[in-house]
Amino acid sequence: MLYKEIHIGSFIKERVDENEITMERICKFLDKDEDAVEGMYNSRSLDADLLLRWSKLLEYDFFRLYSSHLILYAPPAAANKNQQKSDKIPYFRKNIYTQEIKEFIMKRILSGDMTQSDVIKEYSIPKSTLHRWLQKSDING
């Protein structure tokens, strides 16, 4: 599954190939040698600053892969009223589903890989939200 296991190096290599970016340009932009770049292609994870540079070079938000993983696989946060929130870091609503997430879920249902009940249990997507997506896909499909 696309978002369950993330091997960031593979995704980067695929994007490099799609865009036909030369190794020379990559090395110059990242200030790394070819061996270091090849090592990154084989890496499951990368430092955030390095991933940001890759995202800029390849004009692709690699962080979205991780955000999608969190939306699909992280358990919902318990509502703790005593928990203090800092004004120094931003907080994001977890229940915002990207179009990629919606399409991923819809493909799983339409292909028969998962039932609606399976999706609700596995990804903690509210039943009403899933039904809204299904209705829209029927109208547009």
Side-chain angles (χ1 to χ4, degrees):
M1 287 189 289
L2 179 62
Y3 300 112
K4 183 126 183 169
E5 297 293 325
I6 299 171
H7 188 291
I8 199 65
S10 297
F11 285 109
I12 289 172
K13 176 68 170 133
E14 186 174 322
R15 184 71 178 174
V16 165
D17 292 345
E18 284 175 2
N19 290 345
E20 299 176 347
I21 308 289
T22 64
M23 181 62 81
E24 181 182 355
R25 181 171 174 214
I26 294 168
C27 291
K28 187 175 180 176
F29 188 86
L30 298 176
D31 194 27
K32 303 284 184 189
D33 62 24
E34 286 188 31
D35 289 338
V37 172
E38 290 293 336
M40 289 180 229
Y41 292 156
N42 295 317
S43 183
R44 278 185 54 80
S45 64
L46 293 176
D47 176 77
D49 285 337
L50 191 53
L51 191 57
L52 181 60
R53 297 193 73 197
W54 275 111
S55 294
K56 290 176 181 178
L57 174 66
L58 299 175
E59 298 175 358
Y60 183 87
D61 183 0
F62 289 103
F63 293 97
R64 188 172 287 198
L65 297 169
Y66 294 103
S67 297
S68 296
H69 175 92
L70 287 174
I71 289 168
L72 290 172
Y73 299 104
N80 185 352
K81 295 181 182 179
N82 296 329
Q83 188 177 17
Q84 292 183 348
K85 293 185 179 180
S86 168
D87 290 335
K88 296 179 183 178
I89 63 171
Y91 283 88
F92 303 101
R93 289 180 35 207
K94 181 180 181 284
N95 61 348
I96 296 175
Y97 301 99
T98 64
Q99 190 60 37
E100 292 89 355
I101 295 275
K102 292 176 188 177
E103 290 171 5
F104 173 77
I105 296 295
M106 297 305 295
K107 282 181 189 173
R108 306 264 350 244
I109 293 171
L110 296 174
S111 70
D113 287 345
M114 295 181 89
T115 65
Q116 292 179 37
S117 297
D118 293 337
V119 167
I120 292 166
K121 287 178 195 170
E122 176 80 17
Y123 303 122
S124 301
I125 294 174
K127 188 176 184 177
S128 59
T129 301
L130 184 59
H131 286 292
R132 203 171 329 116
W133 296 351
L134 289 166
Q135 287 174 338
K136 287 182 181 178
S137 74
D138 287 343
I139 293 168
N140 298 327

